[in-house]
Amino acid sequence: MARRKLLLLLKPFDVYQVTQSNAVSRFTNPRIFHYIDNRCKVHKEAIKVCQKILQQKPIDWKPIFRNNLSQPIHNVDLVVTVGGDGTLLQASHFLDDSIPVLGLNSDPTQAEEVEKFSNEFDATRSTGYLCAATVKNFEQVLDGFLEDQIVPSKLSRISVSVNSKVLPTCALNDILIAHPCPATVSRFSFKIRGDDKTCSPLVNCRSSGLRISTAAGSTAAMHSAGGFPMPILSRDLQYMVREPISQGPAISRLMHGLIKSDQSMDASWFSKEGFVYFDGSHVFHTIQNGDTIEISSKAPVLQVVLPHLST
């Protein structure tokens, strides 16, 4: 039997870098500096533990920092991300539907730390909602995958076309269509179209933008904005117009809803400039006045080892 191949994708250390000299100018409370420094140490230790475990397994593997990833991932049987949900999201932009990903949350939020620092700063960290492992159970989860006892789940992603051209990036969490300046009003229209060619009423909007989330992303920004969590394996998408300028109750009820798996959203952009953001602010595509945008869940799925199925 051929040896399995694994790619270890790491959150970089420079996201924690704060020198002692500029810490004084940036932080009035020195405990914040020590807290951030400790976060880096915990992350480094998690990487060491992970690598030590991998060295004991009958697999070929190599590590790479996520900021050095620039080409689609091929020729591996599994991608293990070490960081948080952000590292797994970044990996997803380089993966098709053939390679599964396993997330290791290197530094989960500790309730006692949140309570300890609650009067000084927010000590919450990545929830690791999509991460199946921590250093405590990584070997158990990895063995379960290698022995075919744990089967990855297939999560929906968002496909976006601009002027009938499919964009190369699929969103695992959500997309945001908005003006690059958050204080500028975005003007756009949209309708929901079914595979059977039926259409919802056309909605014309002035707002701060339009967010569309997958089921996986429905517990993130969408939920914070007043949306509802969806079953993780749902193929539907949830949309919400952000801060709409009210146009009456008949239109207001259309500002938040679902795009079913057999439907798509057809949107038209009527502002001078805009962006389609994928899973945060780092990946985006520019749009301009008159562009048409099609959004659906018809993108290739992503295979993810989920936490509740691996414990």
Side-chain angles (χ1 to χ4, degrees):
M1 181 181 295
R3 287 169 64 90
R4 302 279 191 101
K5 295 182 179 180
L6 183 149
L7 180 68
L8 189 65
L9 189 67
L10 309 173
K11 178 180 178 179
F13 302 137
D14 57 14
V15 299
Y16 301 100
Q17 286 181 355
V18 181
T19 63
Q20 185 74 56
S21 58
N22 70 26
V24 176
S25 60
R26 290 185 59 188
F27 305 126
T28 57
N29 185 345
R31 295 222 293 176
I32 299 179
F33 167 77
H34 294 298
Y35 173 80
I36 294 175
D37 185 56
N38 191 51
R39 302 280 58 78
C40 185
K41 292 177 180 177
V42 170
H43 177 59
K44 286 182 177 180
E45 183 59 30
I47 293 174
K48 290 180 181 178
V49 171
C50 184
Q51 290 177 327
K52 184 177 180 180
I53 291 172
L54 291 176
Q55 289 168 357
Q56 300 169 358
K57 303 297 177 182
I59 55 177
D60 296 322
W61 61 278
K62 66 175 182 178
I64 182 174
F65 286 105
R66 71 185 188 194
N67 48 349
N68 294 329
L69 192 61
S70 60
Q71 298 296 324
I73 299 172
H74 297 298
N75 302 319
V76 297
D77 300 299
L78 175 68
V79 174
V80 173
T81 62
V82 183
D85 284 334
T87 305
L88 193 149
L89 284 171
Q90 187 162 350
S92 74
H93 297 161
F94 296 89
L95 288 168
D96 59 18
D97 57 0
S98 66
I99 301 174
V101 58
L102 163 60
L104 185 153
N105 190 354
S106 61
D107 189 17
T109 294
Q110 304 296 322
E112 61 272 17
E113 289 185 350
V114 174
E115 182 178 358
K116 176 181 178 181
F117 297 115
S118 61
N119 293 327
E120 302 173 64
F121 56 88
D122 184 0
T124 57
R125 302 187 283 281
S126 171
T127 58
Y129 181 72
L130 297 175
C131 295
T134 65
V135 292
K136 294 180 180 179
N137 70 341
F138 173 64
E139 185 170 17
Q140 175 189 355
V141 176
L142 179 64
D143 287 344
F145 173 83
L146 295 176
E147 296 168 5
D148 297 322
Q149 296 175 354
I150 294 177
V151 178
S153 299
K154 296 179 179 180
L155 300 188
S156 293
R157 291 192 281 185
I158 302 174
S159 173
V160 180
S161 298
V162 175
N163 299 328
S164 299
K165 182 179 179 181
V166 179
L167 300 185
T169 303
C170 301
L172 179 59
N173 253 11
D174 56 28
I175 65 168
L176 172 65
I177 305 173
H179 193 280
C181 174
T184 300
V185 173
S186 297
R187 290 174 170 82
F188 55 92
S189 67
F190 68 86
K191 59 185 176 182
I192 308 298
R193 175 171 51 84
D195 288 346
D196 58 0
K197 307 303 181 183
T198 58
C199 288
S200 71
L202 181 69
V203 181
N204 295 299
C205 297
R206 290 184 299 152
S207 76
S208 62
L210 174 66
R211 186 182 302 279
I212 300 100
S213 83
T214 63
S218 66
T219 60
M222 179 64 74
H223 192 208
S224 297
F228 51 85
M230 301 165 63
I232 188 70
L233 299 182
S234 172
R235 295 300 306 272
D236 298 340
L237 305 177
Q238 184 177 171
Y239 73 87
M240 179 180 288
V241 177
R242 298 198 316 168
E243 303 168 327
I245 298 175
S246 178
Q247 298 180 351
I251 297 298
S252 294
R253 65 181 179 83
L254 300 174
M255 295 295 176
H256 178 209
L258 290 176
I259 307 169
K260 296 290 188 177
S261 60
D262 60 349
Q263 297 176 327
S264 60
M265 173 182 281
D266 294 338
S268 297
W269 185 253
F270 298 123
S271 293
K272 184 178 180 181
E273 55 186 331
F275 287 157
V276 181
Y277 295 97
F278 292 80
D279 292 329
S281 61
H282 298 295
V283 179
F284 56 86
H285 179 86
T286 59
I287 53 176
Q288 57 187 0
N289 186 24
D291 282 350
T292 58
I293 309 158
E294 181 180 352
I295 304 107
S296 74
S297 61
K298 296 177 175 62
V301 298
L302 184 72
Q303 295 191 60
V304 182
V305 178
L306 292 178
H308 65 280
L309 299 178
S310 59
T311 54

